[in-house]
Amino acid sequence: MKAHLAKLPLILKPFVLFLLLSLSVLALLSLQTPRHSLSTTAAAAEEELPSDLKIRPGYASYDAYLQRQLNKTLNPKLREIWTTRDWDRKVKVFSQFFDNMKQRGLISNGSKALSIGARVGQEVAALKRVGVNDSVGIDLVPSPPLVLKGDFHHQPFDDETFDFEFSNVFDHALYPRKFVGEIERTLKHGGICVLHVLLSRRADKYSANDLYSVKPLEKLFKQSELVEVRTIDGFGLDTEVVFKKK
């Protein structure tokens, strides 16, 4: 290398030396740069969602997400409202929803039913009121005897447990794939899932995602077929989406 440099014109020698030094530094840096871990790749895959479904930014960790959800669920003023002033009104409206679902053949008195994100259990009370007595709810904070403690990203139930699952908190899912995956895991073959969602505008400040059409749901429910979509007026939610597990 020194012999070749000696033969170069004097004016080119500084340029060539600078180029060689730069290449050496780049090579050294490339060896020291850490590679992405498998967990990072997996997390990125979770975020690769259909364009009409957006995850809201701002969560530094899953624990931070859970704490934000608990801030709402454990709010003493809200819990008092849910169990007193709102109780009869919401149980009545949910009873009308579930009675209509019975008339459409989506659920029966003999169904084993789950309400996902049930908070204090208004939906479960409504299911029992219309005759679906084998019903239970899950939420981060339990409300015995209607609601068990459970994270909807990892349901505390065995595979193929339920005939019917209902949720109006899809917008609270930080990981929509896991949310749907757990529904399909715990639904029996031929089982029904009904979601009440908001499509016309952004959901409330506690929401973790924003859904702008039904198409993302069709893609997420890989083991189920779309049965029905209809407009509703459900406590700020405007669309009912029905899936049947194949």
Side-chain angles (χ1 to χ4, degrees), residues 5 18 33 40 48-49 55 58 71 80 83 89 98 103 106 108 115 138 170 179 182 192 209 222 232:
L5 286 174
F18 175 77
T33 301
T40 302
E48 292 174 2
L49 296 168
I55 303 299
N71 287 344
E80 182 180 359
T83 55
R89 178 175 66 94
F98 293 134
Q103 295 175 25
L106 302 178
S108 68
S115 176
I138 58 168
F170 176 81
F179 180 94
E182 284 296 276
I192 296 293
N209 71 71
K222 297 182 181 299
I232 60 166

Side-chain angles (χ1 to χ4, degrees), residues 165-216:
E165 299 193 26
F166 170 80
S167 183
N168 56 7
V169 295
F170 176 81
D171 60 296
H172 286 244
L174 183 63
Y175 299 113
R177 291 188 191 281
K178 292 181 180 180
F179 180 94
V180 172
E182 284 296 276
I183 290 174
E184 293 193 313
R185 180 183 69 79
T186 57
L187 261 184
K188 297 177 182 178
H189 291 286
I192 296 293
C193 172
V194 177
L195 298 180
H196 284 182
V197 297
L198 179 64
L199 301 181
S200 62
R201 63 182 188 281
R202 282 172 61 91
D204 69 28
K205 66 180 182 179
Y206 291 98
S207 298
N209 71 71
D210 293 292
L211 181 68
Y212 298 102
S213 78
V214 174
K215 290 181 180 179

Side-chain angles (χ1 to χ4, degrees), residues 6-211:
K7 295 179 181 179
L8 289 173
L10 184 62
I11 193 171
L12 291 179
K13 287 182 179 180
F15 172 76
V16 173
L17 287 171
F18 175 77
L19 181 61
L20 291 173
L21 180 61
S22 298
L23 290 174
S24 300
V25 171
L26 287 173
L28 181 62
L29 288 175
S30 68
L31 292 174
Q32 295 178 344
T33 301
R35 298 290 185 257
H36 292 298
S37 65
L38 182 62
S39 60
T40 302
T41 303
E46 175 62 36
E47 296 172 359
E48 292 174 2
L49 296 168
S51 59
D52 281 358
L53 175 57
K54 304 292 186 183
I55 303 299
R56 294 187 182 181
Y59 296 107
S61 67
Y62 190 66
D63 286 341
Y65 156 78
L66 289 177
Q67 188 57 55
R68 182 167 176 76
Q69 299 304 313
L70 286 170
N71 287 344
K72 180 177 183 179
T73 305
L74 290 173
N75 185 303
K77 291 183 179 179
L78 288 176
R79 292 189 75 82
E80 182 180 359
I81 291 172
W82 294 336
T83 55
T84 57
R85 189 179 72 194
D86 272 5
W87 181 267
D88 289 339
R89 178 175 66 94
K90 289 195 172 182
V91 170
K92 179 180 178 180
V93 173
F94 281 126
S95 296
Q96 293 170 350
F97 278 130
F98 293 134
D99 189 55
N100 179 268
M101 292 175 198
K102 286 180 68 176
Q103 295 175 25
R104 290 149 58 200
L106 302 178
I107 192 172
S108 68
N109 287 356
S111 297
K112 185 176 180 64
L114 173 67
S115 176
I116 302 166
R119 291 181 183 158
V120 295
Q122 296 153 338
E123 300 94 326
V124 182
L127 283 164
K128 292 180 180 293
R129 178 177 290 188
V130 300
V132 187
N133 293 318
D134 193 0
S135 303
V136 70
I138 58 168
D139 201 273
L140 292 175
V141 179
S143 293
L146 300 178
V147 182
L148 305 175
K149 183 177 180 178
D151 182 345
F152 52 51
H153 290 118
H154 186 70
Q155 291 187 21
F157 306 109
D158 293 335
D159 297 354
E160 300 181 28
T161 297
F162 299 100
D163 303 290
F164 177 88
E165 299 193 26
F166 170 80
S167 183
N168 56 7
V169 295
F170 176 81
D171 60 296
H172 286 244
L174 183 63
Y175 299 113
R177 291 188 191 281
K178 292 181 180 180
F179 180 94
V180 172
E182 284 296 276
I183 290 174
E184 293 193 313
R185 180 183 69 79
T186 57
L187 261 184
K188 297 177 182 178
H189 291 286
I192 296 293
C193 172
V194 177
L195 298 180
H196 284 182
V197 297
L198 179 64
L199 301 181
S200 62
R201 63 182 188 281
R202 282 172 61 91
D204 69 28
K205 66 180 182 179
Y206 291 98
S207 298
N209 71 71
D210 293 292
L211 181 68

Side-chain angles (χ1 to χ4, degrees), residues 213-222 224 226 229 241 243:
S213 78
V214 174
K215 290 181 180 179
L217 295 177
E218 292 185 75
K219 293 181 179 179
L220 292 174
F221 276 87
K222 297 182 181 299
S224 308
L226 180 64
V229 179
V241 189
F243 287 93

